[in-house]
Amino acid sequence: MRDTLIALFDARIYGEPFMPGFTSSLSKSLVAFVIALAFAPPAHAQSDLARAYKIIQSKKFVDLTHSFGPQTPVWSGFGQAKFSPAADPKTHEPYTIAKDGFRTTYYEMAGQYGTHVDPPAHFDDKGITMDEIPLKQMILPLIVLDSTPYLAKDPNHAFSVEDLKAWEKKHGRVPRGSFVALRTDMYKDWDKDPERFKRAPFPAWAFETIKFLYEQRGVTATGHEAMDTDTTDKMDSETWLLQHGHYQIEVMANLDQVPPKGAVIVVTWPKVRKGLGFPARAFAIVP
């Protein structure tokens, strides 16, 4: 197309002076330059991501993930993880930097360990697995609902629809497509008092609130600080949300360092083929 336009200028314009006083060669070069500009991609299209990255880098990052090891809290039905030096399968000798120039670790644990992702397939034979969760669902607007004001009177408070509507009166409607996390400050016991972290019952979601968020507000995913979604072991909320095609993040941390709205969450996990859950790394970008 560019060559065709230049040829047309050759035939129709260069018969007469394109710009008085300019040579035909220079005029032709100028026309080619103008056409090149016309067909060049917009400058903003090339710089949008660069500008976005510059803005993101200027913001505060908050880690929403616990470090974990063999002694950290886990559901009793799974048992503690086991970490050991990986060894040569022929000699059974552990790899070391001194001997082999590298070292690595063999991990033995359930997928639902530490801060982790629960994909729909965790509770649904027909649900998608963790490697099938769309990439665009791994970076979302973050909403943080604060349940801590209710815990003084009710340490095992189930965050209700009434609580949610009270939050919305103050902060506005929960936006469609967001990730909604429930703050209970339970995460503070993860390292300080692991046995207390494993307490039951514990503060978490009311079943009606989970349904309301997905059905009436159209959120994409939810998360919380406890090892389970519900305040009891019935798992009504977890069963419902996973069987309705949504994923959740459990055992989150540092939600008290994130504002109620305006932040963005990024959640990643290994792409385990047909994976039913795995430790995840979540962080917030705070405005």
Side-chain angles (χ1 to χ4, degrees):
M1 176 65 77
R2 179 174 177 271
D3 292 340
T4 301
L5 288 175
I6 292 175
L8 289 174
F9 272 105
D10 285 345
R12 299 182 181 182
I13 294 180
Y14 288 122
E16 297 179 2
F18 177 66
M19 295 181 67
F22 275 46
T23 66
S24 175
S25 173
L26 182 56
S27 298
K28 189 171 182 178
S29 297
L30 181 59
V31 172
F33 175 70
V34 171
I35 293 172
L37 286 179
F39 281 84
H44 69 82
Q46 298 177 345
S47 61
D48 280 353
L49 285 178
R51 288 203 303 269
Y53 179 73
K54 186 175 181 180
I55 292 170
I56 288 171
Q57 285 299 101
S58 70
K59 303 302 180 181
K60 179 183 178 182
F61 284 43
V62 176
D63 196 346
L64 305 179
T65 314
H66 287 288
S67 297
F68 66 86
Q71 303 305 319
T72 52
V74 66
W75 179 53
S76 59
F78 291 145
Q80 299 300 137
K82 297 178 182 178
F83 294 3
S84 58
D88 186 326
K90 296 178 180 179
T91 66
H92 304 291
E93 288 292 324
Y95 294 108
T96 66
I97 292 177
K99 177 169 61 73
D100 306 290
F102 71 93
R103 58 181 177 172
T104 189
T105 303
Y106 179 80
Y107 301 96
E108 182 180 348
M109 62 189 183
Q112 275 69 16
Y113 202 87
T115 303
H116 63 268
V117 59
D118 284 336
H122 181 39
F123 275 31
D124 184 357
D125 285 338
K126 298 180 180 178
I128 62 172
T129 50
M130 54 189 285
D131 53 321
E132 298 171 323
I133 295 174
L135 290 174
K136 286 191 175 181
Q137 292 188 15
M138 297 168 70
I139 177 168
L140 298 166
L142 176 60
I143 296 297
V144 178
L145 305 177
D146 186 3
S147 189
T148 59
Y150 306 101
L151 301 184
K153 292 184 178 180
D154 181 9
N156 307 313
H157 183 72
F159 197 81
S160 68
V161 174
E162 182 181 351
D163 300 335
L164 172 61
K165 290 184 175 180
W167 184 96
E168 290 187 321
K169 284 183 180 180
K170 185 175 181 180
H171 301 287
R173 186 182 176 97
V174 171
R176 177 174 292 275
S178 58
F179 183 109
V180 181
L182 182 64
R183 173 191 167 190
T184 59
D185 285 358
M186 213 180 144
Y187 85 93
K188 295 178 180 179
D189 290 325
W190 177 261
D191 292 314
K192 183 177 63 177
D193 191 350
E195 289 305 312
R196 174 170 167 72
F197 183 87
K198 294 188 287 186
R199 68 188 183 272
F202 47 83
W205 298 98
F207 175 50
E208 293 74 20
T209 311
I210 285 291
K211 287 190 65 179
F212 186 89
L213 283 169
Y214 285 104
E215 293 183 337
Q216 303 300 320
R217 294 297 180 259
V219 305
T220 295
T222 48
H224 44 269
E225 297 178 34
M227 288 189 286
D228 285 306
T229 317
D230 301 271
T231 58
T232 69
D233 59 3
K234 290 182 179 180
M235 297 189 288
D236 291 337
S237 300
E238 184 166 355
T239 300
W240 185 90
L241 76 90
L242 294 179
Q243 291 186 350
H244 282 75
H246 309 290
Y247 80 85
Q248 66 174 4
I249 300 296
E250 295 194 297
V251 197
M252 300 181 74
N254 300 322
L255 289 170
D256 57 337
Q257 299 176 31
V258 181
K261 61 187 300 185
V264 170
I265 189 171
V266 180
V267 190
T268 65
W269 48 78
K271 193 175 181 180
V272 180
R273 187 179 299 276
K274 302 302 179 184
L276 302 179
F278 212 82
R281 187 69 184 269
F283 63 91
I285 304 170
V286 179

